[in-house]
Amino acid sequence: MTLPTLGLVGLGKIARDQHIPAIAATGLFELAAVVSPDGASADNVPTFRSQAEVLAALPGLDAVALCTPPAVRHGLTVEALRAGCHVLIEKPPAATLSELHDLVAEAEAARRTLFTAWHSQFNPAVEETRRRLADAEIRSVAITWKEDVRRWHPGQDWIFAAGGFGVFDPGINALSILTDILPAPVFVRSADLHVPANRDTPIAATLEMSAAPGSRIGRVTADFDFLQQGEQTWSIVIETDGETDGGRLELTHGGTRLMVDGTHVLAEPDTEYQRIYRHFHRLIGDGASDVDARPLSLVADACMVGRWHRTDAFDW
């Protein structure tokens, strides 16, 4: 059976660490090309300087996966869809909500699959947490998402440029889990955003959120920090009434592990990207799209209602 061909656009850390191994492990796509403007290459795969070059050289290409900075994803996605490709977009899928809404319309017009791959949603522990919270009285949710930008994005100035998201680049992973596990939507009520004096996007942020009255969801908070040293912290702690499936649920290690009332319930290896590519393959087969704007909406809302604070300059 002939596999659908796929081009990987962007060859940075996430592409090398996650996408290429997942494509190989699942065996559902043939990696036919990679795009790297600086000429970096992957083993035994043709390298191109731009997506346009790939589309011209491989007119029958079935799909692309975009792993570029978010500021350029809208234009690349439109280009790929109009060339007849199905498109998987790394998170966050676009720089703005209006861009994302436009991409939905472009995918419908092109009759191609569009998949916004919020990778943290594809952990079994996240799915199990969603099941346990479906009928729960949720008293509080506390997100703590703190990591070292120098470790995970060394020298990548784009992340602190306008449109680069800053600390929301990792923080949006937590928000993607939050919107996936809660039985009702939450809304940003206030936020404090701390921006280095020489940068454009936040290096730290705190959010206060709540649901609509009568939704059985209490206070929701998020604490994001890009200067965490030592152990990295990616956790969500949920306190419930304890009448359904436990009173305290702790999602840790980026959503890959679940503890309930201090007992480990689920801990699996990091295979979320393999699940992403399996889902993408199914969507293409079904002629469907999967677009989730909720995490991006929460970031946009935080920027709209938040208080902006200038903090110390940041240098690598």
Side-chain angles (χ1 to χ4, degrees):
M1 182 177 67
T2 303
L3 297 178
T5 54
L6 180 135
L8 187 61
V9 183
L11 202 55
K13 183 175 175 59
I14 196 69
R16 292 185 181 278
D17 290 354
Q18 296 286 1
H19 286 262
I20 291 176
I23 292 165
T26 54
L28 296 173
F29 294 90
E30 176 194 345
L31 183 56
V34 296
V35 173
S36 176
D38 62 5
S41 61
D43 292 342
N44 302 315
V45 181
T47 301
F48 297 83
R49 294 279 183 168
S50 71
Q51 179 179 263
E53 290 183 8
V54 173
L55 297 175
L58 303 174
L61 190 69
D62 295 303
V64 298
L66 298 183
C67 302
T68 65
V72 298
R73 288 179 185 160
H74 175 263
L76 290 172
T77 303
V78 170
E79 180 182 59
L81 289 170
R82 291 181 179 179
C85 294
H86 307 287
V87 182
L88 180 159
I89 318 177
E90 250 294 347
K91 63 83 194 170
T96 67
L97 282 167
S98 58
E99 286 184 348
L100 183 55
H101 295 322
D102 181 65
L103 293 181
V104 172
E106 287 281 349
E108 290 176 352
R111 299 180 182 270
R112 290 295 180 267
T113 291
L114 178 64
F115 175 31
T116 54
W118 300 102
H119 62 82
S120 295
Q121 294 180 348
F122 284 80
N123 287 304
V126 172
E127 181 179 350
E128 176 65 13
T129 302
R130 181 175 63 252
R131 184 191 70 78
R132 288 173 177 264
L133 294 181
D135 299 312
E137 187 81 24
I138 301 169
R139 294 174 178 168
S140 67
V141 182
I143 296 170
T144 305
W145 222 258
K146 300 183 176 183
E147 64 179 62
D148 183 358
V149 66
R150 293 183 175 92
R151 173 177 172 183
W152 300 103
H153 297 277
Q156 295 180 21
D157 284 320
W158 66 264
I159 206 164
F160 285 119
F165 283 72
V167 75
F168 284 116
D169 181 77
I172 205 169
N173 292 332
L175 298 176
S176 75
I177 294 174
L178 180 73
T179 55
D180 198 47
I181 63 176
L182 292 183
V186 293
F187 308 93
V188 180
R189 305 303 184 185
S190 65
D192 285 282
L193 312 172
H194 302 271
V195 182
N198 59 338
R199 304 288 176 171
D200 299 320
T201 56
I203 201 165
T206 56
L207 279 60
E208 289 274 352
M209 293 170 277
S210 65
S215 61
R216 299 182 291 109
I217 299 175
R219 185 186 184 209
V220 180
T221 63
D223 185 3
F224 302 136
D225 187 2
F226 235 168
L227 294 175
Q228 176 90 335
Q229 296 187 9
E231 184 177 356
Q232 309 289 277
T233 305
W234 303 295
S235 71
I236 302 176
V237 177
I238 306 115
E239 300 281 355
T240 77
D241 59 6
E243 295 180 1
T244 51
D245 284 313
R248 181 182 174 90
L249 288 74
E250 298 175 68
L251 269 172
T252 64
H253 296 78
T256 61
R257 302 181 188 182
L258 174 63
M259 293 178 62
V260 178
D261 293 333
T263 300
H264 286 282
V265 171
L266 198 58
E268 289 201 4
D270 179 3
T271 57
E272 57 194 22
Y273 277 86
Q274 293 182 32
R275 292 185 174 90
I276 280 173
Y277 275 96
R278 293 189 187 103
H279 186 55
F280 187 38
H281 189 267
R282 285 193 298 269
L283 288 171
I284 293 172
D286 293 341
S289 288
D290 183 355
V291 177
D292 184 359
R294 296 171 300 171
L296 186 59
S297 295
L298 289 180
V299 172
D301 289 351
C303 293
M304 290 182 72
V305 306
R307 293 178 292 268
W308 295 79
H309 310 275
R310 278 297 179 185
T311 187
D312 293 342
F314 172 83
D315 293 298
W316 299 103

